[in-house]
Amino acid sequence: MIVTRSWLNEWIDLSAISTERLLKTLNSIGLEVDSVKTYEVPQKILFGRVLECEKHPDADKLNVCKVDTGDGVKQIVCGASNVRAGLDVVVATLGAVMPDGTLIKPVVLRGVASEGMICSSKEIGFGDVQEGILELDSSIGKYKIGEELCTNPLFSDSVIEIELTANRGDCLSIRGVARDLSAAFDKPLRERVLREDEDKRVGIGRILSLSHENNLDVEIRYKAVDIKNFILPLVMKMRLAQIEEKKESAIESLMVYATHSSGVVLRAYEHAFFCAAGETMAKISLSRDANGFASIKTKEKVASIVGVSQEDISKVTFSEGLVLIEATYIAPDVISKKMQEKKIPSGTAYYRASRGSEPELNQGLDYCIGMIDSHSDSLVYGGTIEIEEAYDDKIISVSKKEIDAIIGANIDKAKITKILKNLGFDTTKSLADNFIIVVPRFRHDILNKQDIVEEIVRLVGIDNIASKPFTFTEANSFGDDYFNYKKRETYRHKAAYNGFFESVHFVFDEKKVLQQYGFETIDANKELLNPIVNTLDTLRTTLLTGLLKAASNNSKNGYASVRLFEVGSVFDAQRNESLKMALLLCGDREAQSLSNAGKPSKVDFAFFAQKLSNIIGSFELREFTTKHILSHPYQCAAIFVDGESVGEMFRLHPDVEESYDLDTTYMCELNFEGLPYALKTAKTTSRYQASFRDLSVVMPKSMLYEKIKEVIEACQIKELVRFYPVDKYSDATLGNNMSLSIRFVLQSNDKTLEEEDITNAMDAVLTALKRELEVGIR
């Protein structure tokens, strides 16, 4: 974005602000200055006036001019085709050193003396402003003949190129940049309002009608002007040259100038383009084209596409005649989305529209019409023809406390309010400590409270916010994923410490094997195709069949003892995933050695239970019948931890052992999530000796041990640490009863138990058993 100091001064008073301060402020508020070019016209180059102009007696292309330079009349020979009497010009007097280093001195051209030079724009360092010499007019401000050019702000100017971020489309105009500066300097923005005497003007409705479709997402306003004697003023020519814009006609040049200044996208059309043959009423139609863009057209021809391009045939090429001036707005997200969907050729307007043009259309139209009124005898038609779209205000709520917390400093509330107001934000609905902020339409980039805080920071100035030392607080990196991983690792290591080897299998299994042993399978509608092998045709619903296959392979390879485990995912019929742990123990309890005479005993239920306890800790076994048919019908149990069922353990059915060529085999499968994994809690231990007592009670064979256990636990004997069955006996004399021996471990934290204490505890147990179950000692 290119701005000049003098151009900015039209929108905000910069007379008391140096260029150095201006540049520093632009950088501090986020409008980064990319380059600066300062125009400094050398001394002895003056404002002059051509009093007389006659042809050179000895050269057809030269003119002999009498030029008033304030301190006298000088004779200057000039070769410019546009030099003429009565013209105010720029004169380099004797002794002036031109920007290219040329020294102006008296010369004789074809026999005629010349005391200076009438200058073109290039000769004083201003680029290609116009053909021939500069023709001065009132647009450059007040000046006196004989004054040096460098005293005029327009000829002692700075051209500043600003590097804008993509979200700051609101600053793609002189007015937009001035608006940010007005907030930074706390100076009012100079608005330009055209005051029309509507009663004395012909209404635009007499020469223009507009028909349109609904919901086009565009806003349009039209003004009509009958152009007469409009000549592009010098100030516009100079500034258009500075921003490197040059158009064929004066009207097209004015549109570029007014758009760059105001930010409103402006276009000019020949009125006759929209008129049918023999008619004076222009009829504009606005509708979506085949690509979905809002298109401005007649019945036969397209004039332009809103926010994208204008057809050359509709542009103004004449210097006098009836012209329609159009101001348009389309939201940047709307036009950008359409352009992504349908790539079509675009003009210069698309860049501005896609980044966010100025939505205050009247402001741009008034600026443009004001320029025409000031520099021509044109007739402006009264009123406008327009289309408006409904717009919902974007409202953001943020508290003073939140602003201070994000910034890290306490900013005065009045200062915040002033900054937001100067930037165009409406804060009139705010409460005591809560800002209710209405975002202006031109700020498309403001979406949340963080954006509001960023606006405050850039206007306060980051250098004006007191720095604070960083406080490094490490967040807790131990989330659920970490603890799940650690739990899995812990149980895998425990299994390995107890002699088990980890086995890993695919999550796919053979459906026919699962069905053969009574396991559920995945619902047919939720099956997945295995990309590896066809035989593994379903997701596994248990880990047991995989361990059996692995154990069978190990046994066939000559291993007398096979110990395997796996922790992995299984799936229910609806394909819901869960984590299981399974263990298998097969064959010999230990290796052959001298101590067992080379004949180690086979694994049994108690041995497998002890190994499992070493891995998962204390648990209870309860009577249980498995749903599958892998298990031995008389050697299976449910595993309970802290009163919750976590799985099952069993001996493999002899028929299954035979089919897999396995020795005596025990297995278990556990719900991994149900296994304990928590911080260890220290418990008080007694320093006094423990005492042991055995009781043999006679009970019916049909009675479960669990009932005995419940009665003993209900006694709540303080000194009773634990108890467990150690033997059972039955013979013909006991009939339908049996003898169960239970070992009691008693211990006190306060003393060594005496015989009387132990006897009282045992009596309490016997009394309860007799009362509740009719069970007594043998």
Side-chain angles (χ1 to χ4, degrees), residues 534-594:
N534 292 330
T535 54
L536 302 179
D537 54 358
T538 188
L539 288 169
R540 65 184 179 186
T541 56
T542 179
L543 301 177
L544 298 175
T545 54
L547 285 184
L548 276 177
K549 294 171 190 174
S552 178
N553 291 334
N554 278 270
S555 179
K556 290 174 182 177
N557 286 328
Y559 289 94
S561 178
V562 180
R563 304 178 183 213
L564 300 175
F565 80 93
E566 182 174 5
V567 180
S569 295
V570 300
F571 303 83
D572 64 14
Q574 299 304 311
R575 219 168 70 196
N576 297 312
E577 184 178 0
S578 61
L579 196 62
K580 300 278 189 179
M581 181 177 187
L583 295 98
L584 177 146
L585 185 53
C586 171
D588 296 342
R589 294 175 55 166
E590 57 193 13
Q592 297 180 10
S593 64
L594 184 63

Side-chain angles (χ1 to χ4, degrees), residues 456-562:
I456 296 168
V457 169
R458 74 184 183 90
L459 268 299
V460 170
I462 194 67
D463 294 335
N464 297 324
I465 297 175
S467 60
K468 295 181 179 179
F470 284 114
T471 301
F472 292 97
T473 304
E474 185 177 359
N476 185 3
S477 59
F478 297 147
D480 291 341
D481 290 341
Y482 172 80
F483 288 109
N484 291 337
Y485 162 77
K486 289 300 294 182
K487 177 180 178 179
R488 189 167 178 167
E489 289 297 291
T490 298
Y491 277 95
R492 289 176 64 238
H493 290 161
K494 283 185 177 181
Y497 295 155
N498 282 276
F500 289 85
F501 293 88
E502 186 169 19
S503 182
V504 180
H505 304 90
F506 292 121
V507 294
F508 289 92
D509 207 341
E510 295 182 71
K511 179 178 283 191
K512 66 177 183 179
V513 173
L514 294 172
Q515 293 173 338
Q516 176 185 351
Y517 292 113
F519 292 98
E520 72 171 348
T521 56
I522 303 296
D523 188 288
N525 294 324
K526 296 196 174 184
E527 285 286 13
L528 293 178
L529 180 65
N530 185 348
I532 303 172
V533 290
N534 292 330
T535 54
L536 302 179
D537 54 358
T538 188
L539 288 169
R540 65 184 179 186
T541 56
T542 179
L543 301 177
L544 298 175
T545 54
L547 285 184
L548 276 177
K549 294 171 190 174
S552 178
N553 291 334
N554 278 270
S555 179
K556 290 174 182 177
N557 286 328
Y559 289 94
S561 178
V562 180

Side-chain angles (χ1 to χ4, degrees), residues 138-184:
S138 61
S139 68
I140 66 171
K142 293 181 179 181
Y143 59 88
K144 293 180 180 180
I145 300 301
E147 281 185 340
E148 290 188 332
L149 227 64
C150 60
T151 61
N152 186 288
L154 193 64
F155 292 95
S156 181
D157 206 358
S158 296
V159 177
I160 305 164
E161 185 167 2
I162 299 171
E163 189 71 30
L164 290 179
T165 54
N167 63 320
R168 291 307 305 274
D170 61 298
C171 286
L172 280 174
S173 67
I174 303 296
R175 180 175 182 263
V177 175
R179 185 166 46 208
D180 264 23
L181 288 173
S182 75

Side-chain angles (χ1 to χ4, degrees), residues 263-507:
V264 176
V265 176
L266 297 166
R267 288 173 175 154
Y269 302 93
E270 291 187 10
H271 175 266
F273 177 83
F274 296 101
C275 296
E279 294 184 3
T280 58
M281 173 67 76
K283 296 179 181 180
I284 297 178
S285 174
L286 178 61
S287 60
R288 291 196 188 278
D289 63 13
N291 293 314
F293 292 90
S295 178
I296 296 167
K297 51 192 172 184
T298 66
K299 287 184 178 180
E300 298 85 14
K301 297 173 287 186
V302 174
S304 64
I305 297 175
V306 176
V308 179
S309 61
Q310 181 180 3
E311 298 297 326
D312 289 339
I313 56 174
S314 69
K315 293 180 180 178
V316 177
T317 56
F318 52 70
S319 57
E320 292 194 0
L322 191 53
V323 171
L324 301 178
I325 298 177
E326 172 195 83
T328 60
Y329 173 77
I330 183 168
D333 55 333
V334 173
I335 192 65
S336 297
K337 183 179 179 181
K338 288 187 183 298
M339 188 62 84
Q340 287 176 355
E341 293 171 355
K342 302 286 186 178
K343 300 287 186 182
I344 64 172
S346 61
T348 55
Y350 175 69
Y351 176 76
R352 187 178 298 275
S354 63
R355 293 184 67 177
S357 62
E358 176 60 57
E360 295 180 36
L361 301 187
N362 274 341
Q363 177 269 127
L365 278 175
D366 289 350
Y367 181 85
C368 182
I369 298 299
M371 289 291 177
I372 294 174
D373 260 351
S374 300
H375 300 286
S376 72
D377 300 320
S378 303
L379 171 66
V380 179
Y381 283 73
T384 59
I385 299 286
E386 60 190 54
I387 298 173
E388 289 188 346
E389 288 285 327
Y391 173 76
D392 294 328
D393 287 332
K394 188 191 305 179
I395 299 175
I396 296 174
S397 176
V398 59
S399 68
K400 175 68 165 56
K401 184 177 181 182
E402 286 177 307
I403 293 173
D404 291 345
I406 295 173
I407 295 176
N410 182 18
I411 307 299
D412 183 67
K413 183 181 178 183
K415 187 171 186 178
I416 293 174
T417 302
K418 179 176 283 188
I419 287 172
L420 295 175
K421 181 181 178 181
N422 288 343
L423 286 171
F425 294 84
D426 182 1
T427 61
T428 56
K429 298 179 182 178
S430 298
L431 305 176
D433 292 315
N434 195 49
F435 288 95
I436 309 298
I437 301 165
V438 180
V439 180
R441 289 187 69 187
F442 56 82
R443 290 307 301 270
H444 312 283
D445 58 316
I446 304 298
L447 302 174
N448 50 48
K449 63 182 67 177
Q450 287 78 10
D451 293 331
I452 294 292
V453 174
E454 184 178 349
E455 292 298 293
I456 296 168
V457 169
R458 74 184 183 90
L459 268 299
V460 170
I462 194 67
D463 294 335
N464 297 324
I465 297 175
S467 60
K468 295 181 179 179
F470 284 114
T471 301
F472 292 97
T473 304
E474 185 177 359
N476 185 3
S477 59
F478 297 147
D480 291 341
D481 290 341
Y482 172 80
F483 288 109
N484 291 337
Y485 162 77
K486 289 300 294 182
K487 177 180 178 179
R488 189 167 178 167
E489 289 297 291
T490 298
Y491 277 95
R492 289 176 64 238
H493 290 161
K494 283 185 177 181
Y497 295 155
N498 282 276
F500 289 85
F501 293 88
E502 186 169 19
S503 182
V504 180
H505 304 90
F506 292 121
V507 294

